[in-house]
Amino acid sequence: MAAEEDRNLRVADQDGDRQGPPEASPAAPISIAATLGRTACLVGMTVGLLALVRFWPPAGRAMHVILAAPIWPRLYGWLHVQSEIGREQILLIVMVLVCFGFALSVQLLALWIIGLLRRRKHQTDNGNARA
């Protein structure tokens, strides 16, 4: 009986009649609403991290370690930045990029974990349906 179900599933897969929700397939398209939600979440996390750097002293000290690296004087020379305002602008851009990179890493990790949990749930749902 199980062999017949396996054969039927393989035939259904070949015909394109996949079982399960569209989120389970890796090629499922992402909706515009989901993309906008992810973008808003990413921007919100970036702004939140920048506020954290500004108002929480340990985060400010950690950012200061990054911004006090010896590469910045070389970067000023490569970009021909001579004024203090130009240097502050470069450091601000670096702060935003660091916070954005961290927020993007957190978001990608969260999406990976959500996908992993969905796959596990989908596998257990299919296992319960067959039993």
Side-chain angles (χ1 to χ4, degrees):
M1 187 78 176
E4 185 179 333
E5 285 180 18
D6 259 352
R7 189 184 67 73
N8 288 340
L9 286 175
R10 276 188 257 129
V11 169
D13 283 346
Q14 289 171 357
D15 293 338
D17 299 331
R18 298 214 179 245
Q19 307 277 331
E23 297 87 22
S25 71
I30 299 173
S31 70
I32 293 174
T35 302
L36 289 174
R38 289 178 186 179
T39 303
C41 182
L42 187 59
V43 170
M45 280 194 297
T46 302
V47 170
L49 287 170
L50 286 168
L52 194 67
V53 166
R54 173 65 178 98
F55 296 112
W56 191 47
R61 284 191 294 273
M63 185 61 74
H64 181 69
V65 168
I66 294 170
L67 297 178
I71 192 169
W72 303 119
R74 287 185 180 164
L75 184 64
Y76 302 147
W78 290 335
L79 297 175
H80 303 289
V81 175
Q82 303 299 325
S83 69
E84 286 296 318
I85 292 175
R87 292 177 185 169
E88 287 181 21
Q89 288 173 343
I90 288 176
L91 291 177
L92 182 62
I93 290 169
V94 170
M95 281 177 56
V96 171
L97 289 176
V98 167
C99 289
F100 176 79
F102 187 74
L104 183 61
S105 300
V106 168
Q107 186 181 52
L108 290 176
L109 180 65
L111 290 173
W112 179 75
I113 290 171
I114 289 169
L116 187 67
L117 293 174
R118 283 184 180 169
R119 282 191 297 272
R120 282 188 183 170
K121 183 177 184 265
H122 178 68
Q123 287 173 353
T124 57
D125 288 347
N126 283 343
N128 291 340
R130 290 183 187 170

